[in-house]
Amino acid sequence: MLKNMRLPETHPSFRLNKLHYTNEELASVAYSLIKEGEPYEGQAGSFLLDWLNEKDYVEVKTSGSTGTPKKIRIKKQFMINSAKATGRFFDLPAGTTALHCLPTNFIAGKMMLVRAMVLGWHLDLVLPKANPLDRVFKIYDFCAMTPFQLDNSLSRLHLIRKLIVGGGAVSATQKDLVQGIATEVYETYGMTETVTHIAARRVNPKRKKEDPIPFQVLPNVSISTDDRECLVISAPQLAEEPVVTNDVVEILSPKTFIWKGRIDNVINSGGIKLHPEEIEAKLAPIIAHRFFITSLPDPALGEKLVLMVESDFSETALKNLEKEIKASNKLGKYELPKKIYLVEKFEETPNGKIHRTNTLKSRMA
């Protein structure tokens, strides 16, 4: 039996691929998805069986962006609470039409199903791929994507009324490209340990706002910082203990904060602390390829700032990029890379994020 909770019946308005299912019926559907469906449907089926079993928790894999991916247990009640908070924050009531285009073996994909079952959404499950809207011919109220999917869906965003983007930062170029469109595009902040997002910010507000736009936290979430100036999240409805992050933030109010970067990425170059993410945001309009800022040991500075760009090597391209960066006048004196490396292919985490440490190691090997 489930401990300290009773798994609620699916919402009367819940639809999966146009059909309503009770919990009992959903178990049969899950088996069919696993046995007869495509691999992505099988992932959804496996999660649904986990959701419907007698345990009061679900085992979830972390993304691996900060270390080796691992399995953690998340209480089903916390997942229900998260779904309700999302519904309130983004105003997504029963009957909301939603497109599910994320892999269900990670928390973001699992939560799309939970939100639909709990809130009564009409959810359509499609193949999680780079351009999930390419074969979509109807308008949806809500969708969640990764930044990579957003990048490949810009021409068809009119099919989504509200879009949340998570699993990585929305680039400056992407923010520019979604200005003035009808779709409400939100960048989210969260992690597996907080059952996806605990904060969000609209990156294309109707009225132009100062950059950076602060994140606003969801209901029943409190924020503070520790002695490293890193975010501490207190959300008793989502996690039993406060979640101490490695994200350096500036808290503006009890409900808003500005994300500055990860403390484990901070570069101390000659006594100057540099946040790679802030420099990357300035470089994004200049560099067309994937890239990141990191550091290498330096006898004089301690650490020297270097720029890694995913591109085939070309002496001409390298010189042109150096000139463009200097001519842009976007970077401060200490933010200019001491060296630029062109790397044919970046190392990645299991869910497609750039693995900075491994990429640097392989390039320097």
Side-chain angles (χ1 to χ4, degrees):
M1 294 295 291
L2 292 168
K3 299 176 189 173
N4 304 321
M5 73 161 286
R6 180 176 171 270
L7 188 69
E9 186 54 77
T10 57
H11 193 286
S13 296
F14 166 61
R15 302 286 186 277
L16 178 61
N17 294 339
K18 300 182 177 59
L19 297 174
H20 173 73
Y21 301 103
T22 63
N23 282 346
E24 186 177 347
E25 292 166 338
L26 209 51
S28 298
V29 171
Y31 282 115
S32 295
L33 289 173
I34 294 168
K35 188 176 179 181
E36 301 166 11
E38 298 294 327
Y40 75 94
E41 293 173 315
Q43 289 177 359
S46 294
F47 168 66
L48 289 172
L49 291 182
D50 287 344
W51 180 253
L52 296 166
N53 70 23
E54 61 183 11
K55 296 173 183 172
D56 67 345
Y57 64 86
V58 171
E59 284 196 339
V60 184
K61 280 191 293 187
T62 59
S63 67
S65 57
T66 60
T68 304
K70 59 183 179 180
K71 280 190 177 182
I72 62 171
R73 291 179 177 180
I74 295 179
K75 287 188 174 180
K76 292 175 181 175
Q77 185 61 57
F78 290 163
M79 298 172 81
I80 292 168
N81 296 341
S82 174
K84 290 178 178 178
T86 294
R88 288 196 300 273
F89 187 86
F90 293 106
D91 189 20
L92 301 167
T96 291
T97 56
L99 182 70
H100 184 344
C101 59
L102 296 171
T104 312
N105 52 340
F106 290 103
I107 186 65
K110 296 180 196 299
M111 283 306 301
M112 284 297 290
L113 283 163
V114 174
R115 292 168 194 143
M117 292 184 287
V118 171
L119 301 175
W121 290 358
H122 297 179
L123 188 72
D124 288 340
L125 186 66
V126 298
L127 176 68
K129 58 180 181 176
N131 51 345
L133 299 181
D134 72 330
R135 298 185 66 81
V136 170
F137 303 101
K138 62 180 276 191
I139 294 174
Y140 288 92
D141 297 320
F142 183 76
C143 182
M145 291 185 186
T146 65
F148 182 63
Q149 288 176 314
L150 168 62
D151 213 37
N152 288 279
S153 303
L154 292 166
S155 64
R156 296 179 66 81
L157 282 188
H158 59 279
L159 296 171
I160 308 296
R161 292 194 174 99
K162 291 179 183 176
L163 174 70
I164 62 171
V165 186
V170 177
S171 72
T173 303
Q174 289 172 333
K175 289 174 188 174
D176 288 342
L177 290 170
V178 298
Q179 299 307 310
I181 67 172
T183 306
E184 296 178 22
V185 182
Y186 296 86
E187 179 179 10
T188 61
Y189 174 87
M191 58 209 72
T192 306
E193 292 83 350
T194 59
V195 199
T196 68
H197 51 258
I198 55 92
R201 60 178 176 184
R202 185 169 174 184
V203 298
N204 63 342
K206 285 185 177 178
R207 294 182 181 178
K208 187 78 174 172
K209 293 186 178 181
E210 271 190 45
D211 204 40
I213 298 169
F215 282 96
Q216 183 177 348
V217 302
L218 269 63
N220 303 311
V221 175
S222 300
I223 53 173
S224 59
T225 53
D226 60 15
D227 55 5
R228 305 169 301 158
E229 299 183 355
C230 287
L231 184 65
V232 179
I233 302 161
S234 298
Q237 293 197 16
L238 304 177
E240 291 179 336
E241 302 291 335
V243 177
V244 180
T245 75
N246 288 324
D247 292 309
V248 180
V249 301
E250 178 186 348
I251 292 182
L252 303 180
S253 76
K255 288 291 182 182
T256 58
F257 67 89
I258 291 172
W259 181 79
K260 299 179 76 68
R262 293 190 61 80
I263 197 162
D264 34 0
N265 291 339
V266 170
I267 297 165
N268 189 330
S269 186
I272 306 293
K273 287 186 179 179
L274 302 166
H275 292 284
E277 293 87 351
E278 290 185 340
I279 301 170
E280 288 163 4
K282 295 176 183 180
L283 288 173
I286 302 169
I287 305 173
H289 304 275
R290 290 204 300 178
F291 72 94
F292 65 92
I293 290 287
T294 185
S295 65
L296 287 171
D298 183 86
L301 298 170
E303 293 179 286
K304 67 178 179 183
L305 197 75
V306 297
L307 169 62
M308 313 287 285
V309 181
E310 190 177 49
S311 175
D312 292 332
F313 182 79
S314 161
E315 196 69 48
T316 304
L318 191 58
K319 286 179 179 177
N320 287 342
L321 181 56
E322 288 171 348
K323 286 178 186 175
E324 275 189 79
I325 290 172
K326 285 176 183 175
S328 71
N329 293 320
K330 288 180 176 288
L331 301 183
K333 177 182 175 182
Y334 300 103
E335 294 176 328
L336 286 166
K338 301 294 182 191
K339 184 134 178 103
I340 300 174
Y341 293 96
L342 302 182
V343 181
E344 186 179 341
K345 185 77 175 73
F346 284 169
E347 301 285 334
E348 295 181 346
T349 65
N351 66 340
K353 294 182 186 178
I354 297 171
H355 202 307
R356 296 172 182 242
T357 305
N358 285 2
T359 299
L360 186 63
K361 281 180 181 175
S362 63
R363 176 60 183 82
M364 297 297 118

